[in-house]
Amino acid sequence: QVQLVESGGGLVQAGGSLRLSCAASGSIFSINSMGWYRQAPGKQRELVAHIPSGLSTKYADSVKGRFTSSRDNAKNTVYLQMNSLRPEDTAVYYCNADLTALGGRRADYWGQGTQVTVSS
């Protein structure tokens, strides 16, 4: 069984910062990529950052220059450093992992989501 657990969400004033983390645990053999998505009320879930193995992270235009993702392969953990936050960043943020479990099955996993609220 594989689980993704996000943490670090909360309330912050505009211009502030938050750091999200996502830890993958369970019977994992390898991780092909991880990523961050967000979904605001009434809107579709959108890609925030894509973190492929061996390649540079790709960011949505709306967060480019403000958000930075990183990956700790040894811990199967990714982070999202969010700076210069704006009210429009308010959303539920989700962690995603494309991974191969022990036994050879490759699948897509999602975390439970963590709420980020930016006040003006």
Side-chain angles (χ1 to χ4, degrees):
Q1 187 176 12
V2 175
Q3 292 184 340
L4 303 181
V5 179
E6 298 123 325
S7 62
L11 300 170
V12 65
Q13 292 183 335
S17 298
L18 286 173
R19 190 189 192 213
L20 307 183
S21 64
C22 173
S25 63
S27 55
I28 300 169
F29 177 73
S30 64
I31 297 177
N32 184 59
S33 67
M34 299 186 74
W36 290 98
Y37 294 75
R38 68 186 182 186
Q39 188 167 22
K43 299 182 67 177
Q44 288 185 293
R45 187 172 299 186
E46 65 176 342
L47 176 68
V48 175
H50 179 60
I51 314 161
S53 297
L55 297 172
S56 60
T57 300
K58 305 298 182 183
Y59 299 92
D61 185 68
S62 58
V63 307
K64 185 74 174 180
R66 299 187 297 119
F67 292 9
T68 303
S69 65
S70 59
R71 184 177 183 180
D72 186 336
N73 291 327
K75 297 181 179 180
N76 289 334
T77 300
V78 293
Y79 306 90
L80 185 66
Q81 179 67 45
M82 305 185 295
N83 298 323
S84 301
L85 283 163
R86 306 165 179 169
E88 66 196 59
D89 296 317
T90 295
V92 177
Y93 284 70
Y94 296 91
C95 177
N96 168 263
D98 170 12
L99 58 83
T100 300
L102 294 178
R105 287 197 292 265
R106 183 173 177 176
D108 202 36
Y109 292 84
W110 292 89
Q112 81 287 350
T114 184
Q115 177 71 47
V116 172
T117 302
V118 184
S119 63
S120 60

